[in-house]
Amino acid sequence: MEQQLDHAAVRAAADRLAGVVRPVAVVPAAEGVWYALEYLQHTGSFKARGAHNFLAAHRAAGTLPAAGVTIASGGNAGIACAWAARAQGVPATVFLPVNARPVKVARLRGYGADVRLVGDRYSEALAASQEFAADRGALASHAYDHPLIAAGAGTLLDEIRDALPGLDAVVVAVGGGGLFAGVATAAREHGVHVTAAEPENCRALNAALEAGRPVDVPVESVAADSLGATRVSADALAAARRGGVDSVLVTDAQIIAARRELWEEHRIVVEAGAATALAALRTAPRPPGKRVAVILCGANTDPADLTAPVPGQA
């Protein structure tokens, strides 16, 4: 299927998702700041949007094979793919690095996925998934680098605007760039500023902006299980270069502190990747405008470490 990422694709995704996904809840957090609680989504993350959009579009086009779908994932995209595949009545085979978080592996198996642990990097799991698709005739999905995946994620922006009229800016964590690309595409349509937040040692988008093209980056962060892509998508880079976007890097200590703040002040439990967005708001210059939404994008995490010491603090 030939696809492109534009606002028309986001609107088409919204039609496919209507009545299937949970509309995002938006709640006040502080003066001029709201939290978009997308971690309450089916499967515990925004990834459900792109996964359903991808499979529903293929079903409508007659290109969803009986062999089902396969994907490589750090966890959340695989969970969403398994959820969407179960709804479509086809099998899902999910490849993860061997160091994937146990809580995510358990959720995958709970959705009936065939889970295969390969290598210690996402790129190795991806290669295994591609080989499986070629051998078995399964539909190859992607954790973030596909217009249908990004368009599904982009539906979040219009829902946030519906809940928060006059939205000026949104802060979003970036891994491989699927969520960012979709949200930034929709945001540009409405003149909403976007802050792209990344761990300083998982900076695929930031490095691509610096180099002028997607480049491989090292991955080493407390948020690497969800934001640890070695290379950002071309769609994400294109969206970032159109303007109205700031790229912000944060430290692991800042991410851990933001995650703890969400728990201590609001009793919100999210994964480190989601807390990266709040960390950027706390440490970088405030985005322009009076109404800023921070997307809390996922909560597939073990809350047992919420009280662990923050590195660098007594």
Side-chain angles (χ1 to χ4, degrees):
M1 296 176 60
E2 291 294 327
Q3 296 287 330
Q4 64 178 6
L5 179 60
D6 54 22
H7 196 244
V10 176
R11 290 196 302 267
D15 290 340
R16 296 187 191 102
L17 296 176
V20 177
V21 299
R22 296 167 179 156
V24 67
V26 180
V27 301
E31 182 66 31
V33 178
W34 283 257
Y35 292 154
L37 308 183
E38 183 62 2
Y39 67 90
L40 297 175
Q41 189 52 260
H42 293 293
T43 77
S45 87
F46 75 95
K47 296 282 191 179
R49 295 173 181 268
H52 177 79
N53 189 47
F54 180 82
L55 291 183
H58 277 280
R59 171 74 78 188
T63 53
L64 183 58
V69 61
T70 183
I71 190 171
S73 168
N76 284 344
I79 293 167
C81 183
W83 168 78
R86 187 175 69 175
Q88 295 289 343
V90 296
T93 304
V94 182
F95 291 82
L96 285 80
V98 296
N99 56 0
R101 296 286 174 93
V103 65
K104 296 186 177 184
V105 174
R107 291 210 69 191
L108 272 167
R109 290 180 171 142
Y111 283 119
D114 178 1
V115 179
R116 306 191 183 193
L117 303 178
V118 177
D120 59 4
R121 296 287 182 178
Y122 168 77
S123 58
E124 295 172 271
L126 177 60
S129 174
Q130 291 169 336
E131 182 179 354
F132 178 87
D135 290 345
R136 304 293 182 88
L139 175 65
S141 186
H142 197 281
Y144 57 88
D145 193 4
H146 192 285
L148 286 169
I149 299 294
T155 59
L156 252 176
L157 192 281
D158 284 339
E159 288 184 14
I160 294 170
R161 289 183 68 248
D162 289 343
L164 185 58
L167 176 71
D168 295 303
V170 64
V171 187
V172 57
V174 183
L179 175 60
F180 166 77
V183 165
T185 296
R188 185 170 184 266
E189 185 76 9
H190 303 295
V192 174
H193 183 87
V194 180
T195 295
E198 295 176 278
E200 61 181 8
N201 293 323
C202 286
R203 53 182 290 265
L205 177 62
N206 183 268
L209 286 167
E210 193 175 86
R213 67 186 192 284
V215 292
D216 288 339
V217 296
V219 171
E220 186 63 44
S221 170
V222 67
D225 64 314
S226 54
L227 302 183
T230 56
R231 177 179 289 234
V232 78
S233 72
D235 280 335
L237 177 57
R241 295 177 75 176
R242 291 189 192 111
V245 173
D246 289 333
S247 174
V248 174
L249 300 180
V250 294
T251 67
D252 275 7
Q254 290 164 343
I255 293 168
I256 293 168
R259 182 170 178 257
R260 179 179 295 176
E261 176 185 327
L262 285 165
W263 167 245
E264 292 180 346
E265 294 190 11
H266 304 284
R267 284 305 187 255
I268 290 174
V269 180
V270 296
E271 57 196 77
T276 300
L278 179 59
L281 182 71
R282 290 286 181 261
T283 58
R286 184 187 170 95
K290 296 181 179 180
R291 294 193 165 205
V292 179
V294 179
I295 297 177
L296 301 180
C297 57
N300 288 315
T301 188
D302 183 348
D305 59 357
L306 276 170
T307 57
V310 176
Q313 295 186 10

